[in-house]
Amino acid sequence: MHDQNEDIISYFKKLDRSFFMETHKEFAHMDEPIPIGYEQTISQPSLVLSMTLALHLQPEAKVLEIGTGSGFQTALLAAFSDAVYTIERIEPLYDRAKERLGKAGFANIHFKLDDGSIGWTEHAPYDRIMVTAAAGEIPSELIDQLAFDGKMIIPVGTSFLQELLLIEKEDDGKIHTKVLDDVRFVPLKGKYE
Ligand code: SAM
């Protein structure tokens, strides 16, 4: 059977992280989160990869991403799914990510400048949801917007430490939650801060 993980890993290895950065490009090769301004960071590469693999993307999947940031994670999601709906609340980050991903040739990414903590109802349900900022609790709106047989990755906890959760919705609507890791993300602003 064809192993999609291998394709994702090989695409990821070729993805130039410095393309997604305006400053500190000399640190792009480091496996660390790096500041991108506005108190935000481009995520740690190994975490971007492991979160993407844990989502089990499908070529026909519709994906919601909360926290576009630099667009680094968005690129990986868009390369292995049908469409990505991504929301960022900080305008300069939104503008730059949109321009960058357009330049990179992605035509399947839909951008929104807004508070994404309550999702994007207009295009729901989503087969996959990736949240790249830390919530104090699981946003019920995102559970509602997750499709049956859908999967969501979200860091949940305090502002200092969170558990990275994999949330799965079965085809009868039952929810299963699994802890994947301990992580530290910037806060998800809004209702679930
Ligand atoms: N994965 C991204 C990357 O590698 O560039 C990094 C994302 S960064 C850790 C988290 C992002 O979530 C920030 O850009 C922040 O502005 C955004 N964010 C935080 N709360 C948000 C909200 N309520 N709605 C939309 N974006 C939000």
Side-chain angles (χ1 to χ4, degrees), residues 78-94:
F80 293 94
S81 58
D82 183 53
V84 177
Y85 293 82
T86 186
I87 313 177
E88 173 55 56
R89 58 180 283 280
I90 298 177
E91 191 163 9
L93 296 180
Y94 159 88

Side-chain angles (χ1 to χ4, degrees), residues 137-165:
E137 57 185 290
I138 302 167
S140 59
E141 290 86 348
L142 298 186
I143 298 280
D144 292 344
Q145 290 171 37
L146 188 62
F148 293 125
D149 279 327
K151 296 181 198 300
M152 165 159 69
I153 299 279
I154 179 169
V156 177
T158 66
S159 53
F160 296 104
L161 190 67
Q162 306 97 37
E163 289 182 328
L164 186 65
L165 303 182

Side-chain angles (χ1 to χ4, degrees), residues 36 38 40-44 48 65-74 87-90 93 114-118 132-133 185-190:
I36 53 171
Y38 314 94
Q40 306 304 323
T41 52
I42 182 169
S43 303
Q44 183 179 357
V48 168
E65 181 191 37
I66 316 293
T68 318
S70 68
F72 180 51
Q73 170 83 78
T74 320
I87 313 177
E88 173 55 56
R89 58 180 283 280
I90 298 177
L93 296 180
D114 208 346
D115 171 7
S117 61
I118 53 168
T132 69
F185 276 85
V186 295
L188 179 71
K189 296 287 186 186

